[in-house]
Amino acid sequence: MDQTGALDALLQEERVFRPLPQLVIEANINPHQLEQAQRRAEQDPLAYWEDAAHELDWFKKWDRVLDDSNPPFYRWFPGARCNIVYNALDRHIETANKNKLALIWEGEPGDQRKYTYYELYREVNRFANALRTLGVAKGDRVVLYMPILPETAIAMLAVAKLGAIHSMVYGGFSAKVLRERVADAQAKVVITADGFYRNGRIINLKALVDEALAGAGAECVETCVVVHRVNVDTEMHEPRDLWYDDLVRQERPVCATEVMEATDPLFLLYSSGATGKPKGIVHAHGGYMVGIARTLDWVFDIKPTDIFWCTADAGWITGHSYVIYGPLVAGTTTVMYEGHPLYPQADRLWDVVARFGVTILYTSPTLVRMLMRFGVQYPRKKDLSTLRLLGSVGEPMNPEAWVWLYKYIGRSECPIMDTWWQTETGMFMISPLPISLLKPGSVNKPLPGIEADVVDAHGNPVPPGKGGFLVLKRPWPAMMTTIYKDPERYKKSYWEKIPGVYYAGDVARRDEDGYYWIQGRADDVMNIAGHRIGTAEVESALVAHRCVAEAAVIGIPDKIKGEVAKAFLVLHDGWQKEFETAEDLVAALRAHVRRELGPVAVVKSIEFRESLPHTRSGKIMRRILRAEELGQDAGDTSALEDPD
Ligand code: PRX
């Protein structure tokens, strides 16, 4: 059968995909244990999470597992003292993990660096000492604007080791976005690199940092630490800017790990919401480490010999939880790759898998769809036989991409863990385990200890097969603790839309077998290649352009990226004086959005209108534009009255 014929046959399959018997026998959690865990978690969820907490090291154990006296400000493991870095590094130095590879890094040009746990521990200690010399202490905010480098992991861990709070800003965001986040966090230090390699080019990151720090709001920054990665002329502003190498050279490789309350913040990560102002999602040391350790161990079935590669950028939650903290807490080997997945050609991913013997590959539907286009000749030329588990995250996985990944990358032997979760949840929430029966396109069922539901706008469960809002009905350890400096917004955005439950902002349905299918966002948040961008953010970038009077942005389906932005604009009179043709204006507007927000916000098309549809109170009705644009019914959404 040719490639398409085989795919067609599989796509018509209505059966579920079963794990191979050998895999079930060897899984960390077998079906019997899963059933037991589920029963225990249903009867006594706190005891279930307490068991998970006992698997980690604490300086002092908790007074109680959960303080729920002031919902929705749940406090996990109050009274306990810990530091996630102790679990990610320090404790491994006392065990056989000491000389095991913690981190394998590959640069786009092909250069490599590898760190054992002991080496990584020493590097983190040296940089932590350097940061302490710079005055960084418990509770201070440090912003990281970094490409994928070993120093990115080192910097995160060093900041956390001191009890300071890191806030990563994805390198695909603009200088302006960086400045806003630095200002909101009132960061004392910014850590960056001179540049990095991407698709054969050098991206000069430091220039963007200079632009960001020159603007109003960024005066809080005392020091900018620059990692040397590429050979470019880099302007260093004295006394603010310091080279990473100069800083760590004199430092000792020993550094005490700060003793933190379990509820103390570990990091802030800004994420887009339905308004133009991103939310600083806060995660704390104790609950977060318990949540990610348990879920990584169960879902990805970590074995001592694994080489774990999650292709996410460290600037997103997936990078935090499952490139850096999760794998290191688990004592496994994590892989980081700096560059573009198609550089120098479409086999780079498969090449990395083959050379390092990657056993678990966790990636995104966009990447799979992108690589599918190049056909199977690329993966066929590489030895992918070390792979034993695959994973997907960030956006709905269409069955066609699922089956391609399963068949051509996973040899029809490696189960795909399609994990549903969010920046806010910190950890996997709905996901299969390796022993689960899989349905392509479904994220399977809630993990033990997680109670999810699909409900209408009033919180009533909807019948199987019907679309509704995805909600979570019980707190979980790695949950966000609040929105930085805005607890009211935390309450309102997540816990009051549908009273008493956590509102995820996703539309989902559950089938007769209890399997969840994520259909997309329920709010005005786009998911462009798995990256969350608010329509309001793109709109405010557009109206900042002098020719634009009014803007409405919607997400429209895209074959590769899942979704892209389309803008409807009302122009000010007189734009023709500045631009000869409408095409010139469109090009200028695209460049403008890129400058305002960064390359991550892809505006695929722009349409000019005389006016936009409004509600009586003056809100733009994006819903009408979307319905018009798609010319179709968005599925069964009868349960979806806007809860606002
Ligand atoms: O819409 C869901 C989608 O990504 C959103 C969360 O985005 P973010 O906070 O950036 O975190 C992404 C990585 C965890 C969700 O509200 N999403 C995430 N995972 C899936 C998904 N949609 C479908 N299937 C998934 N597996």
Side-chain angles (χ1 to χ4, degrees):
M1 214 177 325
D2 66 5
Q3 188 188 341
T4 355
L7 270 179
D8 282 349
L10 274 170
L11 283 170
Q12 279 151 17
E13 283 276 5
E14 294 217 334
R15 63 169 188 179
V16 291
F17 288 72
R18 285 168 198 284
L20 298 184
Q22 194 60 26
L23 207 141
V24 177
I25 292 167
E26 289 170 3
N28 291 354
I29 300 301
N30 66 36
H32 175 65
Q33 289 165 314
L34 178 62
E35 212 183 293
Q36 272 185 332
Q38 258 153 352
R39 212 171 316 123
R40 180 160 171 79
E42 266 160 38
Q43 285 161 359
D44 190 350
L46 297 188
Y48 171 80
W49 290 118
E50 188 164 30
D51 291 347
H54 280 304
E55 289 172 10
L56 296 169
D57 286 11
W58 303 76
F59 302 127
K60 175 182 170 283
K61 294 261 167 111
W62 44 92
D63 299 333
R64 44 207 286 225
V65 177
L66 175 67
D67 170 7
D68 57 1
S69 58
N70 181 25
F73 299 94
Y74 296 100
R75 297 170 70 243
W76 282 86
F77 307 107
R81 304 232 169 83
C82 62
N83 188 315
I84 193 169
V85 181
Y86 186 87
N87 282 280
L89 291 177
D90 305 13
R91 66 176 178 149
H92 297 309
I93 308 313
E94 311 295 326
T95 71
N97 281 345
K98 180 178 177 183
N99 302 317
K100 177 179 174 173
L101 278 186
L103 174 63
I104 300 176
W105 172 87
E106 179 161 291
E108 192 181 80
D111 45 340
Q112 287 177 12
R113 280 155 66 189
K114 295 181 181 174
Y115 293 80
T116 63
Y117 272 92
Y118 187 53
E119 287 164 340
L120 189 63
Y121 165 81
R122 288 166 58 96
E123 280 306 308
V124 167
N125 287 343
R126 290 170 69 204
F127 190 46
N129 284 330
L131 289 172
R132 186 174 278 150
T133 311
L134 293 173
V136 174
K138 196 174 190 163
D140 287 342
R141 276 82 52 216
V142 176
V143 163
L144 276 65
Y145 188 56
M146 302 277 283
I148 298 278
L149 293 175
E151 286 82 1
T152 309
I154 292 167
M156 279 169 89
L157 293 159
V159 170
K161 181 155 207 170
L162 296 177
I165 302 166
H166 58 73
S167 181
M168 278 286 290
V169 177
Y170 174 58
F173 281 118
S174 66
K176 182 164 174 256
V177 171
L178 174 62
R179 182 190 313 139
E180 285 163 1
R181 295 177 186 196
V182 162
D184 192 71
Q186 284 295 294
K188 199 174 196 174
V189 174
V190 170
I191 306 171
T192 189
D194 47 8
F196 61 100
Y197 295 92
R198 186 80 187 170
N199 220 356
R201 291 185 312 150
I202 289 178
I203 311 290
N204 191 340
L205 205 59
K206 175 63 166 49
L208 291 173
V209 176
D210 289 342
E211 190 187 331
L213 298 189
E219 300 81 3
C220 48
V221 176
E222 294 166 12
T223 311
C224 175
V225 179
V226 187
V227 175
H228 177 51
R229 164 69 184 132
V230 289
N231 279 323
V232 283
D233 282 336
T234 303
E235 243 182 80
M236 296 294 275
H237 297 256
E238 296 211 357
R240 186 194 70 192
D241 299 348
L242 298 166
W243 287 106
Y244 175 93
D245 291 330
D246 293 341
L247 268 174
V248 298
R249 193 168 294 126
Q250 305 297 335
E251 296 292 349
R252 295 181 56 232
V254 186
C255 172
T257 301
E258 193 71 34
V259 176
M260 306 297 288
E261 294 292 325
T263 50
D264 279 341
L266 165 65
F267 65 82
L268 297 182
L269 187 56
Y270 287 86
S271 186
S272 294
T275 73
K277 191 177 181 318
K279 314 181 251 203
I281 310 288
V282 182
H283 282 285
H285 277 259
Y288 177 76
M289 75 180 185
V290 172
I292 61 171
R294 167 54 62 96
T295 50
L296 181 66
D297 182 35
W298 285 35
V299 171
F300 282 116
D301 194 47
I302 302 296
K303 308 277 194 240
T305 49
D306 274 323
I307 306 280
F308 182 83
W309 185 20
C310 167
T311 61
D313 190 283
W316 304 101
I317 190 67
T318 311
H320 286 57
S321 300
Y322 301 109
V323 175
I324 296 171
Y325 286 118
L328 297 178
V329 169
T332 190
T333 303
T334 189
V335 176
M336 291 168 96
Y337 165 61
E338 172 188 45
H340 195 280
L342 300 181
Y343 185 86
Q345 56 178 18
D347 67 350
R348 186 61 183 260
L349 238 64
W350 319 129
D351 192 43
V352 170
V353 168
R355 273 185 293 110
F356 297 130
V358 170
T359 56
I360 305 170
L361 177 66
Y362 183 35
T363 188
S364 72
T366 290
L367 200 49
V368 174
R369 288 190 292 260
M370 213 160 95
L371 293 165
M372 260 172 87
R373 278 188 315 176
F374 294 88
V376 295
Q377 72 270 24
Y378 287 104
R380 279 218 174 116
K381 282 196 204 114
K382 302 289 169 188
D383 174 15
L384 305 181
S385 62
T386 51
L387 286 173
R388 61 181 198 90
L389 282 176
L390 298 167
S392 169
V393 63
E395 25 164 357
M397 178 79 138
N398 48 315
E400 195 192 356
W402 194 100
V403 171
W404 189 86
L405 182 68
Y406 184 75
K407 189 167 165 52
Y408 297 111
I409 308 306
R411 318 177 297 280
S412 301
E413 285 179 2
C414 307
I416 301 175
M417 303 297 105
D418 188 346
T419 58
W420 178 86
W421 58 295
Q422 308 178 296
T423 307
E424 292 86 341
T425 71
M427 66 185 211
F428 307 147
M429 303 297 282
I430 308 181
S431 167
L433 298 184
I435 54 170
S436 306
L437 308 186
L438 304 174
K439 297 187 186 188
S442 162
V443 292
N444 226 264
K445 298 182 182 181
L447 291 170
I450 304 304
E451 198 188 334
D453 207 346
V454 179
V455 302
D456 66 18
H458 309 288
N460 305 312
V462 302
K466 250 182 163 312
F469 298 110
L470 180 58
V471 297
L472 301 165
K473 299 177 101 166
R474 193 186 276 157
W476 61 97
M479 65 195 299
M480 68 189 290
T481 57
T482 188
I483 293 178
Y484 190 59
K485 295 199 291 203
D486 202 350
E488 268 311 301
R489 190 172 174 200
Y490 165 65
K491 230 157 115 177
K492 264 182 88 179
S493 325
Y494 300 106
W495 296 93
E496 286 177 358
K497 296 244 164 170
I498 299 174
V501 294
Y502 171 88
Y503 173 82
D506 277 6
V507 181
R509 72 187 160 82
R510 200 171 30 194
D511 68 17
E512 298 282 350
D513 300 324
Y515 279 56
Y516 283 71
W517 302 75
I518 309 293
Q519 291 169 289
R521 295 291 302 191
D523 52 9
D524 288 316
V525 173
M526 293 174 289
N527 190 334
I528 303 178
H531 301 156
R532 238 165 102 170
I533 307 288
T535 50
E537 287 169 83
V538 183
E539 286 165 2
S540 54
L542 282 163
V543 293
H545 192 276
R546 57 197 177 282
C547 296
V548 178
E550 213 180 3
V553 170
I554 61 167
I556 55 169
D558 181 85
K559 269 209 155 91
I560 303 288
K561 293 184 155 67
E563 206 172 23
V564 286
K566 169 158 187 178
F568 298 85
L569 304 180
V570 178
L571 298 176
H572 283 303
D573 286 341
W575 65 268
Q576 293 95 334
K577 283 187 211 135
E578 241 183 287
F579 296 93
E580 265 181 31
T581 63
E583 287 76 51
D584 291 347
L585 175 59
V586 166
L589 288 169
R590 281 225 183 85
H592 169 79
V593 172
R594 201 184 160 89
R595 218 169 24 248
E596 290 276 305
L597 283 177
V600 65
V602 186
V603 181
K604 179 98 174 234
S605 54
I606 295 182
E607 194 177 307
F608 302 128
R609 293 268 175 118
E610 288 298 315
S611 64
L612 297 174
H614 287 105
T615 60
R616 245 173 284 157
S617 62
K619 268 199 200 166
I620 296 175
M621 296 177 80
R622 301 184 185 105
R623 199 156 32 95
I624 293 189
L625 293 167
R626 197 176 301 124
E628 246 180 64
E629 178 68 28
L630 303 179
Q632 65 186 43
D633 186 16
D636 181 4
T637 50
S638 52
L640 298 177
E641 252 168 74
D642 190 340
D644 280 337

